[in-house]
Amino acid sequence: MEASEGRSGTSSSAVADWSLVFWTLCSVILPVLITLWCSFQRSRRQVLIRDIFRKSKHDWHYTDLFGQPSYCCVCAQHILQGAFCNCCGLRVSEGCLKKADQLFLCKEIMMRSNGGAHSSMPHHWIRGNVPLCSCCIICKQQCGTQPKLCDYRCVWCQYTVHDECMMDCLKTEECTFGEFRDLIIPPYYMSTINQMRKDKRTSFEKVVPYCRKHWMPVIILANTRSGNNMGETLLGEFKILLNPVQVFDLSKIAPAKALQLCTLLPCNAVRVLVCGGDGTVGWVLDAIDEMKIKGQERYIPQVAILPLGTGNDLSNTLGWGAGYAGEVPVEQILRNVMEADGIKLDRWKVQVTNKGYYNLRKPKVFTMNNYFSVGPDALMALNFHAHREKTPSLFSSRIINKAVYFFYGTKDCLIQECKDLNKKVELELDGERIELPNLEGIIVLNIGYWGGGCRLWEGMGDEPYPLARHDDGLLEVVGVHGSFHCAQIQVKLANPVRLGQAHTVRLILKSSKMPMQVDGEPWAQGPCTVTITHKTHALMLYHSGEQTDDDASSVSEQDHVREQTDEDV
């Protein structure tokens, strides 16, 4: 009996052990299988969504959470996540995506031809998800106040109207294109121009709105990789307000190609808004110079800036601010572009000829808009760029970028890699040699701002120096004693060493290797001769509404610029 009881006890213990192992395996394997199944279904769903996006005429983008209460334009259900069109503003749930493609037309960049020329078009109404605080054009009451899919918005003029106020006449009424009619390229204009080009006709002067007096179409060039990575959001917002044909992503199309749109528009009337840093602006201005070489001078546009970079000194000089982080609505940005005044910006040729290779190597040639420097600020830029190339994902914030600059500036204060620069270089201003004091850096300025918002030439403003100008054909040349001196200048605790103003600057690096930069693009340079001469003028737009504290001291300069512009006109 005792033996049989022992065997039965052992058997039940083994069963219990196996049962424990089984349930342990189930508790481990089952969640893994469920996770794998969900991952497979999600990836399959994403493939299907991407396929719909690729074939669709809408500019669909998927979001996991809408920024405001949203309703599906097909089933009218409240949705937290789904797809939205960057051009017409449609919002749909994932399940209704294919049906929305069949039911709703997107903004057309060109009207469908029916055999005749057009000079107008009806409203294009989309139901639901109207902008917050929008008012009905009929009864003047607020739209979109009910918690359901309601009310209409025209994708061109942005007018909104209540469901109960919508009348048949509104559905066929001619669209005026709203507040930004002078900036929008109408679809009927593009279709007419396209037909004329097929017929090999180039007399666009009689095409509406080409012949309209105040039409100043704008072209948006956005760099989605600049500074704080706001370019993607801005592209969508501009496509909503304008014709999508006017909005270009510079990560997908080069500025030279995008600017060919200017040749289909009125001469001397086009305005370009560059969304990016100073490097992106220089890229666009280089493309405009190529237009001059091609004989397209009469199509040259005027350039405005929406600063998305880190330093944004050119933008600051032209009154567009030190940086954009979404604090100003896109509508206000377009109003600023319409109201901006045209001015000129000097552009300079920087030629770097290596010593001992005059007959073997071509000199390096750069175009300068902002400044050239040799010394500690160029060293900071060189270290920053080397670090960013290794880990570009870390440099997506303007604050992080400036923190890295601060780190390398502090490091140079201790190491002083550029000391005794005055013994290594010779400086000539308009052919006259300048005796240099003990310096670590030399900066050649074309614009008023430097180093992310500092008016370097004027310094603390305690001495009567003429204000730096960006259209007088003169360069300002200053020296700095080191990184710590640069920091003191930026917080107005010190002045730079002013070396003079000149039309031509020549700098000879006699020995060793030194860091140099042109407009934030740095490199390490051996013995060489650097020659800076005037190259051309760029047509820019100046916004007088954006001023910093330093600008209060330069009001007279701005007035002079406006007076000069009026005289040129």
Side-chain angles (χ1 to χ4, degrees), residues 351-414:
Q351 182 170 299
V352 182
T353 307
N354 293 306
K355 252 188 179 179
Y357 296 99
Y358 293 105
N359 300 320
L360 299 176
R361 270 187 208 172
K362 287 184 177 179
K364 290 185 283 189
V365 178
F366 304 89
T367 300
M368 182 184 88
N369 302 311
N370 298 3
Y371 35 72
F372 162 86
S373 71
V374 53
D377 68 322
L379 179 63
M380 284 187 276
L382 185 62
N383 289 329
F384 174 84
H385 276 257
H387 199 165
R388 184 165 65 174
E389 284 179 4
K390 290 179 184 176
T391 53
S393 59
L394 295 177
F395 296 85
S396 59
S397 165
R398 190 180 290 128
I399 294 174
I400 291 174
N401 294 352
K402 290 189 176 184
V404 173
Y405 265 105
F406 175 76
F407 167 76
Y408 283 119
T410 306
K411 178 184 172 185
D412 186 60
C413 285
L414 303 174

Side-chain angles (χ1 to χ4, degrees), residues 150-418:
C150 63
D151 305 336
Y152 290 86
R153 174 183 62 88
C154 174
V155 300
W156 288 106
C157 62
Q158 308 305 320
Y159 288 164
T160 54
V161 60
H162 289 120
D163 288 333
E164 54 272 21
C165 295
M166 175 61 78
M167 299 174 285
D168 290 338
C169 62
L170 280 177
K171 294 180 180 179
T172 57
E173 183 182 74
E174 178 183 327
C175 181
T176 63
F177 293 95
E179 180 183 358
F180 303 114
R181 64 178 67 86
D182 289 332
L183 300 180
I184 295 173
I185 303 176
Y188 57 77
Y189 175 82
M190 294 302 298
S191 59
T192 305
I193 295 298
N194 187 49
Q195 186 59 49
M196 291 179 72
R197 292 181 72 195
K198 287 179 181 178
D199 298 338
K200 297 183 178 179
R201 291 181 290 150
T202 56
S203 54
F204 304 152
E205 291 81 5
K206 296 181 180 179
V207 180
V208 178
Y210 194 108
C211 55
R212 199 166 70 215
K213 184 178 179 182
H214 300 293
W215 192 42
M216 52 175 79
V218 67
I219 296 174
I220 310 295
L221 303 179
N223 188 351
T224 53
R225 297 171 184 169
S226 282
N228 55 3
N229 294 328
M230 284 200 64
E232 195 72 43
T233 303
L234 288 167
L235 281 172
E237 293 183 1
F238 282 121
K239 284 180 179 179
I240 288 283
L241 296 173
L242 305 170
N243 189 333
V245 78
Q246 301 171 243
V247 185
F248 296 93
D249 182 354
L250 292 182
S251 65
K252 297 177 181 177
I253 184 170
K257 193 171 182 181
L259 289 170
Q260 288 305 300
L261 180 59
C262 296
T263 61
L264 306 179
L265 299 169
C267 303
N268 306 316
V270 180
R271 300 192 165 198
V272 169
L273 176 62
V274 181
C275 308
D278 288 347
T280 305
V281 177
W283 189 18
V284 172
L285 294 181
D286 287 341
I288 291 175
D289 284 346
E290 289 178 23
M291 292 178 67
K292 296 177 184 176
I293 295 171
K294 293 177 183 177
Q296 299 174 341
E297 291 93 344
R298 60 193 183 123
Y299 299 113
I300 297 299
Q302 294 175 303
V303 179
I305 307 171
L306 184 60
L308 302 183
T310 303
N312 304 310
D313 290 306
L314 180 57
S315 168
N316 216 354
T317 299
L318 299 179
W320 297 100
Y324 178 76
E327 66 279 4
V328 179
V330 172
E331 293 85 352
Q332 185 58 48
I333 293 168
L334 291 177
R335 292 184 197 110
N336 293 343
V337 172
M338 281 196 291
E339 296 166 2
D341 302 316
I343 61 168
K344 289 182 179 179
L345 172 73
D346 289 325
R347 304 193 77 213
W348 300 82
K349 176 184 175 183
V350 180
Q351 182 170 299
V352 182
T353 307
N354 293 306
K355 252 188 179 179
Y357 296 99
Y358 293 105
N359 300 320
L360 299 176
R361 270 187 208 172
K362 287 184 177 179
K364 290 185 283 189
V365 178
F366 304 89
T367 300
M368 182 184 88
N369 302 311
N370 298 3
Y371 35 72
F372 162 86
S373 71
V374 53
D377 68 322
L379 179 63
M380 284 187 276
L382 185 62
N383 289 329
F384 174 84
H385 276 257
H387 199 165
R388 184 165 65 174
E389 284 179 4
K390 290 179 184 176
T391 53
S393 59
L394 295 177
F395 296 85
S396 59
S397 165
R398 190 180 290 128
I399 294 174
I400 291 174
N401 294 352
K402 290 189 176 184
V404 173
Y405 265 105
F406 175 76
F407 167 76
Y408 283 119
T410 306
K411 178 184 172 185
D412 186 60
C413 285
L414 303 174
I415 299 174
Q416 292 184 312
E417 292 183 38
C418 303

Side-chain angles (χ1 to χ4, degrees), residues 2 10 20 50 67 116 175 187 194 208 249 256 270 322 380 391 398 419 422 479 498 510 533 538 554 562:
E2 289 178 2
T10 304
L20 180 63
R50 280 198 299 267
C175 181
N194 187 49
V208 178
D249 182 354
V270 180
M380 284 187 276
T391 53
R398 190 180 290 128
K419 65 181 178 180
N422 53 298
R498 299 179 181 87
K510 296 181 287 188
T533 54
S554 60
R562 291 195 197 95

Side-chain angles (χ1 to χ4, degrees), residues 32-33 51 99 145 210 245 263 292 323 326 395 399 456 491 500 559:
V32 172
L33 291 174
D51 188 55
K99 198 170 182 180
T145 54
Y210 194 108
V245 78
T263 61
K292 296 177 184 176
F395 296 85
I399 294 174
L456 185 60
V491 295
D559 292 339

